[in-house]
Amino acid sequence: GHGTNYIRDHLDSPRSFVIVLCSPKVAMAAAMVDYHGTEAVIRMMGTHPTVRKRGCARLVHSLVADACRARSIAKLCVELSENDPDADLIWKRFGYTSVRSGMISNTTAPLFKDTKLLVMGVSHVCSVSNALGRLADVMFDEGESTDE
């Protein structure tokens, strides 16, 4: 038999979406999100190594929140490996808190047994315009002049 292809299954699902932030040279950051009812879970989010610490993840996160608002989703969770304390700190900096019993439905529960969820209200996510402003500040403040 064939094994499960999680990415293909995700893209085939009518209750999922993908956000990708691209430059002319590289896919800078991306997120895969599943949702059901008024809850969504970021199953995967990553930033290309050449553009880390510039605000790309914050912008993708804001775009995810906008997509959730358009679908009347109020609660956003993120699925993390139990063995990645750095990721835990990053997401908590974004405003996520640990999931308590009863905070999420079975449909947005973790997919894998070695993962956990953090949660926040979609209304608390940084706005896209704020995230874009931060991104522009960092992208053009690298000591390189844009004037020739």
Side-chain angles (χ1 to χ4, degrees):
H2 298 287
T4 300
N5 181 323
Y6 176 70
I7 293 174
R8 185 197 61 228
D9 291 348
H10 173 84
L11 294 172
D12 287 348
S13 168
R15 291 201 165 112
S16 68
F17 61 91
V18 176
I19 302 280
V20 182
L21 179 64
C22 295
S23 75
K25 295 181 181 180
V26 68
M28 296 169 22
M32 288 180 13
V33 181
D34 292 336
Y35 64 94
H36 189 287
T38 61
E39 297 176 355
V41 181
I42 298 171
R43 299 290 186 188
M44 182 285 301
M45 190 160 132
T47 304
H48 193 276
T50 62
V51 293
R52 288 193 179 137
K53 301 205 184 294
R54 295 186 179 192
C56 295
R58 186 172 300 279
L59 178 55
V60 167
H61 187 243
S62 296
L63 292 166
V64 165
D66 270 9
C68 287
R69 283 186 204 92
R71 293 167 171 84
S72 300
I73 295 166
K75 194 180 298 179
L76 187 55
C77 302
V78 61
E79 186 171 17
L80 303 176
S81 167
E82 290 279 9
N83 304 317
D84 191 353
D86 290 341
D88 196 64
L89 290 172
I90 290 166
W91 287 103
K92 286 184 175 176
R93 241 185 287 143
F94 273 25
Y96 284 81
T97 57
S98 295
V99 169
R100 294 182 298 281
S101 178
M103 288 181 70
I104 60 163
S105 69
N106 288 337
T107 55
T108 51
L111 287 182
F112 306 105
K113 69 178 187 176
D114 64 338
T115 60
K116 64 179 177 180
L117 291 178
L118 299 179
V119 66
M120 77 182 295
V122 170
S123 61
H124 294 98
V125 176
C126 168
S127 71
V128 170
S129 60
N130 188 327
L132 271 172
R134 290 182 186 194
L135 182 68
D137 288 347
V138 174
M139 294 298 261
F140 298 109
D141 190 28
E142 294 295 312
E144 297 178 21
S145 173
T146 56
D147 299 331
E148 295 286 61

